[in-house]
Amino acid sequence: LPLWERLKRRIVDGELNGLRADLDEALSQRPALEIVNDVLLDGMKTVGELFGSGQMQLPFVLQSAEVMKTAVAHLEPHMDKTDDGGKGRIVLATVKGDVHDIGKNLVDIILSNNGYEVFNLGIKQPMSSILDAAKEHRADVIGMSGLLVKSTVIMKENLEELNSRGLAGRWPVLLGGAALTRAYVEQDLAGLFGGEVRYARDAFEGLRLMDALMA
Ligand code: B1M
């Protein structure tokens, strides 16, 4: 198989053997971020489709996720970075009940490499922990990720909690994850939330929104 097809296959098949050599070859031809976006994410998309249609079982999805993580970790040192970490601070978490973190961690990498200080709390984070961290780290923005349909409801509840605690105006909230839609966030959630809530389709939109919020 040609290199790009082979790399994608490694994600889909959850195959670690030979991954690093292929990534090094890829790095000699294209920037690290492009490899993630155009090749590896395409592989994860296929995994999602196969799993969704019952053609792939969960343990294999997990293997693919591990290969994806290894690949991103291998590429990360090759990504462009700005030295300045002082553009702003964001607390980032996958919401309660949700273990998906590949997208959140990509957002972390993109924001960290572009001048933001990111406090990445990990997965399955209840709102109370997110709030504690936002206070402790004097965050400028709260970022929540979630991929399950259930997580879109949790996000709504989290915003309602900010409302009821009188904290809605304190932090703008950035939301992302495959189960969200722009309309749900910008119409439904924005309509009920007393503060500012924004939707990021991908990590780059997350960066653009952070830049806009911190301007
Ligand atoms: Co799960 N899973 N999974 N899974 N999984 C999905 C989400 C699913 C759509 C698959 C499917 O059915 N086709 C489906 C959800 C269905 C639904 O809710 N309607 C699903 C399911 C059902 C489940 C389980 C319930 C399965 C089970 O146990 N029976 C279970 C849930 C466990 C739980 O959370 N409690 C489960 C478990 C897993 C694994 C552990 C095996 C693994 C996750 C490993 C890990 O993350 N460490 C996994 C995976 C890998 C997937 C799919 C295949 C791929 C997700 C992924 O990493 N994509 C996924 C299918 C899909 O999404 N289509 C699926 C790549 C990643 C880069 O994309 O996270 O969307 P994403 O991030 C993007 C943007 O969304 C955005 O930027 C990123 C890229 O630029 N973004 C943000 C994300 N967060 C952001 C935050 C921001 C800004 C942008 O600011 C704050």
Side-chain angles (χ1 to χ4, degrees):
L1 286 178
L3 175 63
W4 311 112
E5 202 43 44
R6 209 160 67 225
L7 267 173
K8 183 181 161 184
R9 281 296 347 148
R10 289 196 190 287
I11 300 288
V12 177
D13 297 344
E15 178 60 66
L16 267 176
N17 279 333
L19 175 74
R20 288 182 174 82
D22 277 354
L23 288 171
D24 288 336
E25 190 183 339
L27 278 168
S28 69
Q29 299 177 33
R30 291 173 75 178
L33 260 184
E34 254 183 56
I35 301 170
V36 173
N37 281 322
D38 299 349
V39 187
L40 306 183
L41 285 186
D42 196 31
M44 283 312 285
K45 190 164 164 260
T46 302
V47 171
E49 285 160 5
L50 290 172
F51 179 56
S53 63
Q55 293 168 268
M56 191 181 209
Q57 300 304 310
L58 199 61
F60 297 99
V61 179
L62 198 54
Q63 272 182 33
S64 294
E66 287 308 317
V67 173
M68 179 72 190
K69 285 185 169 196
T70 305
V72 172
H74 189 82
L75 294 173
E76 208 257 347
H78 300 275
M79 292 178 193
D80 294 336
K81 292 181 185 56
T82 57
D83 283 339
D84 162 37
K87 273 164 70 179
R89 299 157 159 247
I90 179 168
V91 159
L92 199 58
T94 300
V95 299
K96 185 173 78 180
D98 195 324
V99 303
H100 298 90
D101 66 354
I102 295 174
K104 166 183 67 64
N105 292 342
L106 272 178
V107 173
D108 180 350
I109 289 172
I110 302 292
L111 292 180
S112 302
N113 287 349
N114 285 280
Y116 290 99
E117 205 173 344
V118 179
F119 300 92
N120 188 338
L121 308 183
I123 58 172
K124 297 203 267 184
Q125 292 295 313
M127 193 55 192
S128 56
S129 310
I130 298 174
L131 275 178
D132 287 348
K135 287 176 191 158
E136 182 190 340
H137 300 298
R138 289 176 288 114
D140 300 299
V141 176
I142 288 177
M144 294 189 256
S145 177
L147 263 66
L148 302 172
V149 168
K150 198 175 72 179
S151 301
T152 65
V153 179
I154 300 284
M155 289 175 184
K156 176 169 175 277
E157 289 169 5
N158 288 349
L159 296 180
E160 284 166 343
E161 186 170 340
L162 284 169
N163 277 345
S164 64
R165 289 184 183 226
L167 290 170
R170 179 137 169 214
W171 298 278
V173 177
L174 196 57
L175 300 179
L180 290 169
T181 62
R182 189 171 297 284
Y184 178 68
V185 177
E186 293 180 353
Q187 290 161 32
D188 301 4
L189 296 185
L192 67 87
F193 186 47
E196 190 165 5
V197 58
R198 309 293 287 269
Y199 169 72
R201 197 181 64 86
D202 56 29
F204 296 102
E205 189 170 8
L207 174 62
R208 282 196 300 279
L209 287 171
M210 274 304 280
D211 286 343
L213 289 169
M214 299 310 299

